Amino acid sequence: MTEGNFVDYVKMHVSSGKGGAGSAHLRREKFVTKGGPDGGDGGRGGHIIARANPNLWTLLHLKFKRHIKAGHGGNGSKQTSTGADGEDMYIEVPLGTVIRDTETQEILKEITEEGQEFIVAEGGMGGLGNSHFKTSTNQTPRYAQPGVGGKEVDVTLELKVLADVGLVGFPNAGKSTLLSVITAAKPKIANYEFTTLKPNLGIVQYRDFQTFVIADIPGIIEGAAEGKGLGYRFLRHIERNSTLLFMIPADAPDVAEQYQILLHELEKYNPELLDKDKLIAITKCDMLDDELKAELKSELDKNLPVEYLFISSVAQQGLTQLKDRLWAMLNRPAVEE
């Protein structure tokens, strides 16, 4: 999927259908005198319904659908016939979509399960026909209820990708290169910062035909909380990752310091991210000889509080060990409290 086709944020105005009016009809048939009221109820207005679609990975199909309207309910008629319900309108969304009220910013629903549906705006109720209002003292009511109007809501759809592993690192740390090597994804790779402007997903083929999903998130820089670089826009995509893989190049001035900066930026965005499983990949290790690698390892053993691995995506070094370790972390038995 190209960057231009990845859409993870859409605003739209939705309008549910209004209910049909009840009928105030009086029965009129040959040889039937004073037939009485037989007006039917109005039909329900159409709902606006968000529905999970596991075949979708982005909100691209909704990019230009800014207004969605459901059908109105039909009016009631004679012989207590109920009007037809208005046509429901379905908004197909990928798994991981958050539906938010644009005005209040309240989260209305998170779509995370296949087949899940949520009524974003309920259709108006149909009005009651005059047959409901017949009493012993009012045997010929000549009135009925009007239908209830529909609802209009401004909603924001935000996609948080459902991936097992999220790649976290500074720009040009080798995240896209790793993704291109261990998955079939084809992210943009170049020797300058911020080559990745949209999240990329890839499926890692593991042993015995097993797989897990990895997400490449655009690079974070120090001060992202203040809007520097690409800011925090894409960090929501790692909120649902169970494991975070921090990628720091071997030629970084201070590996431990860069790790602490990344942790600090994540904590400012959402402190709960620090509770996830963490692993550090020291990238671009093909530039190191055995002596330099041993020296760096001695330094990291003292300063890094988290497990780390040496890898090189270009030279295909350490990738099998990396996949083994990630698989073990993803399938670690849950600890009973």
Side-chain angles (χ1 to χ4, degrees), residues 19-25 39-43 73-77 124-133 141-149:
S23 171
H25 188 268
D41 302 339
N75 296 333
S77 59
M125 292 176 55
L128 297 177
N130 63 349
S131 59
H132 289 274
F133 303 107
R142 301 177 185 273
Y143 53 84
Q145 285 183 335
V148 177

Side-chain angles (χ1 to χ4, degrees), residues 133-323:
F133 303 107
K134 180 180 178 181
T135 66
S136 59
T137 58
N138 183 16
Q139 297 186 1
T140 315
R142 301 177 185 273
Y143 53 84
Q145 285 183 335
V148 177
K151 295 182 179 179
E152 296 190 25
V153 185
D154 289 311
V155 295
T156 301
L157 305 183
E158 298 177 357
L159 176 61
K160 296 180 182 179
V161 297
L162 295 176
D164 300 303
V165 179
L167 303 183
V168 181
F170 286 98
N172 212 21
K175 300 186 298 298
S176 297
T177 304
L178 175 66
L179 189 72
S180 69
V181 171
I182 65 175
T183 76
K186 303 296 181 185
K188 181 179 180 182
I189 300 172
N191 189 26
Y192 57 86
E193 296 184 347
F194 297 115
T195 53
T196 301
L197 299 177
K198 301 278 186 175
N200 291 301
L201 288 178
I203 299 176
V204 179
Q205 301 289 337
Y206 192 63
R207 295 185 173 94
D208 300 324
F209 304 103
Q210 299 177 103
T211 62
F212 60 91
V213 181
I214 193 166
D216 171 20
I217 309 300
I220 306 169
I221 67 171
E222 187 174 8
E226 288 75 41
K228 293 183 180 179
L230 296 177
Y232 278 176
R233 177 179 173 188
F234 299 109
L235 283 185
R236 66 174 177 271
H237 292 293
I238 62 176
E239 289 184 17
R240 291 202 176 98
N241 303 153
S242 59
T243 299
L244 300 181
L245 178 60
F246 291 82
M247 301 190 63
I248 303 174
D251 59 351
D254 189 329
V255 173
E257 181 184 4
Q258 288 207 1
Y259 173 67
Q260 292 300 327
I261 292 173
L262 291 170
L263 274 186
H264 183 59
E265 292 298 332
L266 293 184
E267 183 179 20
K268 286 193 289 186
Y269 172 73
N270 183 354
E272 294 181 2
L273 293 178
L274 302 189
D275 296 331
K276 296 180 180 294
D277 290 338
K278 295 180 281 290
L279 178 66
I280 298 175
I282 309 300
T283 65
K284 306 180 182 179
C285 288
D286 53 304
M287 299 186 300
L288 305 178
D289 56 24
D290 293 340
E291 183 179 349
L292 287 174
K293 187 178 292 187
E295 182 180 338
L296 180 59
K297 185 177 187 305
S298 176
E299 179 184 341
L300 296 179
D301 287 341
K302 299 176 183 177
N303 299 323
L304 279 184
V306 178
E307 180 183 359
Y308 65 89
L309 296 172
F310 289 103
I311 68 168
S312 171
S313 302
V314 174
Q316 304 273 311
Q317 296 176 1
L319 299 185
T320 301
Q321 293 88 335
L322 176 65
K323 289 191 284 186

Side-chain angles (χ1 to χ4, degrees), residues 17 26 33 39 111 113 122:
L26 298 176
T33 59
I111 305 294
E113 299 177 4
E122 289 188 354

